[in-house]
């Protein structure tokens, strides 16, 4: 029997990058998986990509349009969604920039999406006490750069929630530089230079993939002894 058979899982932001890779792992391992996104187009594309896994013996997969920046939408979803065994929050937009250069409106929007979005999910969505809530953080919280003060401050919920919600397990997975659609809007040459610079700097000698992080997410959701912790899957980024 698959590891997550007969379990219900919610992946918020499950339509691209780490979220999609995580949803793929859960479906493959038999979970009844709901992916949520504020983009109907991305949701349709992700459901089409994951549908083949269901047909070949994986768990069921369904989609839900959901904007976690809206308290009303989150509460409405939570009222009808029922209980989940595991919830993963990978959604969140966090623009980079120095404090004296990043417009306050952009900083507020980043907090509303990444911090308050996770807060709203944690507050409203029902998770079985034997299950888990996993947030996607970032290694910049431990090793901030010259234009990432905002990112280093955002990832602060996990330890407090693990105490407040016990015995529900609450953890974070914190990736380093990844090849994901997050960078698709960047100039191709500049993006490749960024990847090459990261590859030279990182001890592992490569930029990570979304699947690397998805494996870590399933590690913490499946480990009944892990709570209040952050698992760094960052190619050694916190020490390089």
């Amino acid at each position: 029997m698959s590891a997550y058979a007969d379990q219900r899982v919610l992946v918020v932001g499950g339509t691209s990058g780490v979220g999609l890779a995580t949803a793929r792992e859960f479906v493959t391992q038999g979970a009844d998986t709901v992916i949520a996104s504020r983009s109907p187009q991305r949701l349709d594309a992700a459901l089409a990509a994951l549908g083949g896994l269901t047909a070949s013996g994986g768990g069921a997969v369904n989609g839900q349009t959901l904007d976690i920046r809206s308290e009303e939408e989150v509460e409405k979803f939570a009222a009808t969604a029922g209980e989940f065994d595991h919830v993963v929050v990978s959604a969140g937009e966090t623009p980079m920039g120095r404090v004296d250069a990043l417009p306050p409106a952009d900083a507020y929007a980043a907090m509303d999406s990444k911090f308050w979005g996770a807060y709203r999910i944690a507050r409203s969505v029902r998770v079985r006490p034997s299950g888990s809530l996993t947030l996607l953080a970032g290694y910049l919280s431990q090793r901030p750069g010259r234009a990432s003060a905002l990112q280093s401050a955002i990832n602060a919920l996990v330890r407090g929630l693990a105490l407040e919600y016990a015995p529900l397990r609450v953890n974070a997975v914190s990736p380093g530089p990844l090849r994901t659609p997050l960078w698709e809007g960047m100039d191709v040459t500049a993006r490749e230079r960024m990847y090459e610079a990261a590859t030279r700097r990182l001890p592992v000698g490569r930029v990570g993939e979304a699947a690397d992080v998805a494996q870590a997410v399933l590690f913490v959701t499946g480990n009944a002894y892990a709570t209040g912790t952050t698992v760094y899957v960052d190619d050694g980024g916190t020490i390089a």
Side-chain angles (χ1 to χ4, degrees):
M1 182 176 292
S2 298
Y4 288 88
D6 302 323
Q7 296 192 26
R8 293 191 74 220
V9 174
L10 170 65
V11 182
V12 182
T15 58
S16 66
V18 172
L20 180 58
T22 299
R24 181 177 291 111
E25 289 288 338
F26 277 123
V27 173
T28 299
Q29 297 199 30
D32 179 357
T33 304
V34 177
I35 57 174
S37 170
R38 62 189 176 93
S39 169
Q41 293 78 20
R42 287 187 176 183
L43 198 57
D44 289 343
L47 289 172
L50 296 173
L53 299 175
T54 300
S56 61
V61 58
N62 296 283
Q64 173 68 47
T65 303
L66 178 65
D67 187 347
I68 62 174
R69 300 172 302 178
S70 167
E71 184 175 345
E72 181 181 1
E73 280 198 30
V74 172
E75 290 186 351
K76 183 178 179 181
F77 167 74
T80 60
E83 282 190 323
F84 293 93
D85 293 285
H86 304 285
V87 173
V88 178
V89 183
S90 67
E93 298 177 0
T94 54
M96 300 285 289
R98 286 170 50 105
V99 169
D100 56 2
L102 187 69
D106 290 348
Y108 298 152
M111 289 294 292
D112 195 29
S113 176
K114 185 69 173 177
F115 179 86
W116 290 111
Y119 187 99
R120 293 180 186 106
I121 293 295
R123 180 177 185 273
S124 299
V125 174
R126 288 179 292 161
V127 190
R128 294 186 177 95
S130 59
S132 70
L133 169 65
T134 305
L135 309 182
L136 266 293
Y139 81 116
L140 292 173
S141 62
Q142 295 297 310
R143 193 181 188 280
R146 295 180 180 273
S148 61
L150 178 65
Q151 285 72 20
S152 68
I154 277 177
N155 304 311
L157 280 174
V158 167
R159 296 176 71 186
L161 285 176
L163 290 174
E164 291 187 15
Y165 283 8
L168 175 72
R169 295 179 296 105
V170 184
N171 296 290
V173 173
S174 186
L178 300 174
R179 291 182 182 272
T180 70
L182 176 66
W183 306 108
E184 284 182 350
M186 192 175 182
D187 174 76
V188 175
T189 301
R191 184 174 67 221
E192 290 305 316
R193 285 176 179 168
M194 177 184 72
Y195 289 153
E196 289 170 5
T199 297
R200 290 192 299 269
R201 177 175 62 86
L202 295 171
V204 174
R206 71 176 178 88
V207 175
E209 304 289 345
D212 297 319
V213 185
Q215 291 171 13
V217 172
L218 267 72
F219 165 73
V220 295
T221 59
N223 190 318
Y225 201 55
T227 193
T229 191
T230 299
V231 175
Y232 291 93
V233 188
D234 61 3
D235 303 339
T238 54
I239 60 174

